[in-house]
Amino acid sequence: MSFDIEKIGDVCTVGDGAHASIKRTLNGIPYYTSKNFKIEGIDLSKVDYISEEDFKKHFRSNSNAITKPIKDDILLSIIGSIGAPHLVKDEDDFGLSSSVSILRPNVSKIKPQYLYYWIKSDDFQNAVHQIKSGVAQSFLSLSMIKQLPVIYPKSLETQNRIASILSTYDDLIENNLKRIKLLEETAQNIYKEWFVNFRFPNYEHTEFDAESVLPVGWRKGKVADLCEVKSGYAFKSKDWQTEGNPVMKIKNITNNTVDITDCDFVDDEVAQNAEKFELFEGDILIAMTGATVGKVGLIPKIDKRIYINQRVGLFRPFSEIENNVYLVFSFFMTDEAQKQILNFAGGAAQPNISSSQISEVELNIGSDEILRMFESKIQSIMVQIQTLYRQNQKLKEARDILLPRLMNRTIEV
């Protein structure tokens, strides 16, 4: 099988997003920056918006410059978490900041799907990291991108076959994510029906207290009434290793789950000192600092020992009998919870919240019977979500083992 070795600039036209300072709005057209790009895909946990008027002004389809992404473009973050790609789909419609580059492949030489997987390969990512290590701030200029390597089969059919093999894994992952989203929406709807709209089982025969406007037996309480809130372990900078025992940081909390694949590590001795901060499947984490403060994530089914870093909070039940963490998890996915978190954080440039402040967040607390019924009903949903996330981790691991072997030709297609 014959391969060509060229540079990105030889097989792509390279551009980037808008260089203008565009006013953000509360809603409108999504506007993605480098913070929305992770190696596993678009992260929508915090999205900016711009007006439709600004979108039409700065992202014209008839522009000579490549600023508006179109189907089969590959987007590449070039500031911060550089090197994270996204293959643009038909349904994608968003604005793009100049912190993200646009690669438009010459399809007579290279297939977009193949180029996308090449960018995810170790060979390409290592080339990116060599540039990162050589500059004070993580940044890729467009000229740097054009000089990055690309190795590809001359045969477009072979490129298609490689991309098809790898995309099978991604399609399964995507299907699981859609199932997870439906399950999360179901859990959210049940929570809102029971604890916001008060349409819980047998509500028709329940009296309401005139003063509190809550069902009799309910109360306005705090998170501390339902579970314990703990902070993570203060690992030292010298503790970090490239392999060993995974540690969950704020960056690992994304889209209501905890990604245990993109981790920093500590050795066995350090892990033993942090044994009281070990995490288990079903644990709920919350970000306590930064742009994603207040975001929660569910630990999926795991087969390794993992630990929690400082500035990440953990909800732990008081006992196996008194377990209300799924209620707390459902609550923190609501706008009301996030509003309280931001109020506590004080609206600073670097939002920050303590475990004691999280404990003070207020919510409606049902009777003991209602709490038990809710936890029982939601538990099966959460177990399904954990299982699907675990399946996705296994699929990613299998795909990531296969990807470099296909790309470096140790496996023939």
Side-chain angles (χ1 to χ4, degrees):
M1 181 166 43
S2 178
F3 278 74
D4 277 345
I5 303 175
E6 296 194 73
K7 297 174 182 177
I8 290 293
D10 298 325
V11 297
C12 294
T13 307
V14 180
D16 56 7
H19 285 259
S21 178
I22 305 177
K23 181 182 177 182
R24 307 299 198 268
T25 57
L26 292 176
N27 48 50
I29 307 296
Y31 185 72
Y32 295 166
T33 66
S34 60
K35 73 173 183 288
N36 297 112
F37 289 78
K38 308 294 182 187
I39 198 66
E40 284 304 331
I42 296 288
D43 176 10
L44 300 180
S45 58
K46 188 173 178 62
V47 179
D48 293 333
Y49 294 91
I50 60 176
S51 69
E52 189 170 349
E53 180 182 358
D54 279 336
F55 178 72
K56 290 178 179 178
K57 175 182 176 182
H58 294 284
F59 300 98
R60 302 192 310 274
S61 300
N62 60 353
S63 172
N64 291 328
I66 298 178
T67 55
K68 182 179 181 181
I70 61 174
K71 184 179 183 296
D72 288 338
D73 282 350
I74 289 93
L75 309 182
L76 189 68
S77 57
I78 58 177
I79 295 177
S81 58
I82 65 176
H86 172 70
L87 180 63
V88 179
K89 304 177 180 63
D90 258 335
E91 62 270 21
D92 286 342
D93 192 26
F94 48 78
L96 205 62
S97 86
S98 58
S99 63
V100 183
S101 64
I102 304 170
L103 311 186
R104 188 159 294 167
N106 177 349
V107 294
S108 67
K109 298 182 73 172
I110 193 165
K111 290 292 185 179
Q113 293 82 359
Y114 176 88
L115 180 61
Y116 168 74
Y117 286 111
W118 165 254
I119 290 173
K120 289 171 73 75
S121 74
D122 289 342
D123 287 343
F124 183 88
Q125 291 297 319
N126 288 339
V128 169
H129 287 301
Q130 284 178 11
I131 294 176
K132 283 175 66 175
S133 62
V135 294
Q137 183 181 11
S138 292
F139 172 73
L140 276 180
S141 67
L142 298 189
S143 59
M144 289 176 180
I145 293 171
K146 291 176 182 178
Q147 295 303 309
L148 287 167
V150 54
I151 301 175
Y152 61 98
K154 289 183 178 180
S155 165
L156 294 176
E157 182 184 353
T158 302
Q159 292 181 34
N160 276 336
R161 288 163 65 190
I162 291 173
S164 177
I165 291 167
L166 295 169
S167 66
T168 299
Y169 290 88
D170 283 337
D171 290 344
L172 290 169
I173 291 168
E174 185 65 28
N175 286 336
N176 280 349
L177 289 175
K178 289 176 181 177
R179 291 172 64 191
I180 289 168
K181 184 177 180 181
L182 290 173
L183 288 166
E184 287 177 344
E185 288 174 352
T186 299
Q188 274 294 90
N189 289 336
I190 294 171
Y191 173 81
K192 289 177 180 177
E193 278 293 282
W194 288 31
F195 291 90
V196 178
N197 300 326
F198 304 124
R199 295 194 184 96
F200 48 85
N202 205 35
Y203 77 92
E204 305 96 328
H205 308 291
T206 302
E207 294 183 10
F208 281 71
D209 183 271
E211 186 175 342
S212 67
V213 200
L214 292 173
V216 172
W218 288 48
R219 60 195 169 99
K220 193 75 172 179
K222 300 175 181 179
V223 169
D225 298 326
L226 294 171
C227 64
E228 181 184 4
V229 185
K230 300 175 62 177
S231 295
Y233 183 74
F235 293 98
K236 298 179 176 62
S237 56
K238 65 181 179 65
D239 293 336
W240 301 119
Q241 309 284 332
T242 56
E243 58 183 20
N245 302 278
V247 177
M248 300 302 107
K249 296 183 173 181
I250 288 174
K251 68 176 183 178
N252 297 101
I253 302 175
T254 176
N255 297 328
N256 301 329
T257 189
V258 179
D259 180 5
I260 65 172
T261 58
D262 179 22
C263 304
D264 295 305
F265 301 88
V266 294
D267 62 28
D268 290 343
E269 183 180 350
V270 174
Q272 188 173 1
N273 293 333
E275 63 180 345
K276 292 182 180 178
F277 298 85
E278 184 177 354
L279 296 170
F280 304 94
E281 63 183 59
D283 277 343
I284 310 295
L285 306 187
I286 182 169
M288 299 170 64
T289 299
T292 59
V293 64
K295 300 303 180 185
V296 289
L298 174 71
I299 295 286
K301 291 184 180 294
I302 52 177
D303 54 12
K304 61 184 79 174
R305 306 190 79 163
I306 63 175
Y307 300 85
I308 181 174
N309 193 38
Q310 61 183 341
R311 307 312 309 149
V312 180
L314 166 65
F315 299 109
R316 273 278 164 82
F318 294 127
S319 67
E320 288 187 16
I321 298 174
E322 201 175 354
N323 187 346
N324 297 299
V325 291
Y326 292 147
L327 171 61
V328 172
F329 178 66
S330 301
F331 169 67
F332 272 97
M333 288 195 290
T334 65
D335 292 340
E336 170 58 29
Q338 293 303 312
K339 190 185 302 179
Q340 290 190 57
I341 287 289
L342 291 177
N343 286 339
F344 275 122
Q350 179 72 357
N352 187 63
I353 191 168
S354 67
S355 55
S356 59
Q357 288 173 315
I358 295 170
S359 297
E360 292 295 307
V361 172
E362 296 183 341
L363 73 167
N364 295 329
I365 299 179
S367 65
D368 291 344
E369 181 184 7
I370 289 295
L371 292 180
R372 283 193 299 271
M373 290 173 66
F374 180 82
E375 206 67 18
S376 175
K377 191 174 185 68
I378 295 298
Q379 184 177 20
S380 62
I381 295 175
M382 293 300 175
V383 169
Q384 289 182 69
I385 290 174
Q386 288 172 260
T387 301
L388 289 169
Y389 274 127
R390 182 58 178 154
Q391 286 180 11
N392 275 3
Q393 287 168 6
K394 291 294 186 184
L395 287 165
K396 288 174 186 177
E397 289 169 6
R399 180 202 62 200
D400 292 345
I401 289 171
L402 192 57
L403 190 151
R405 296 178 182 179
L406 288 168
M407 292 299 176
N408 63 23
R409 288 89 70 200
T410 56
I411 293 179
E412 290 294 333
V413 180

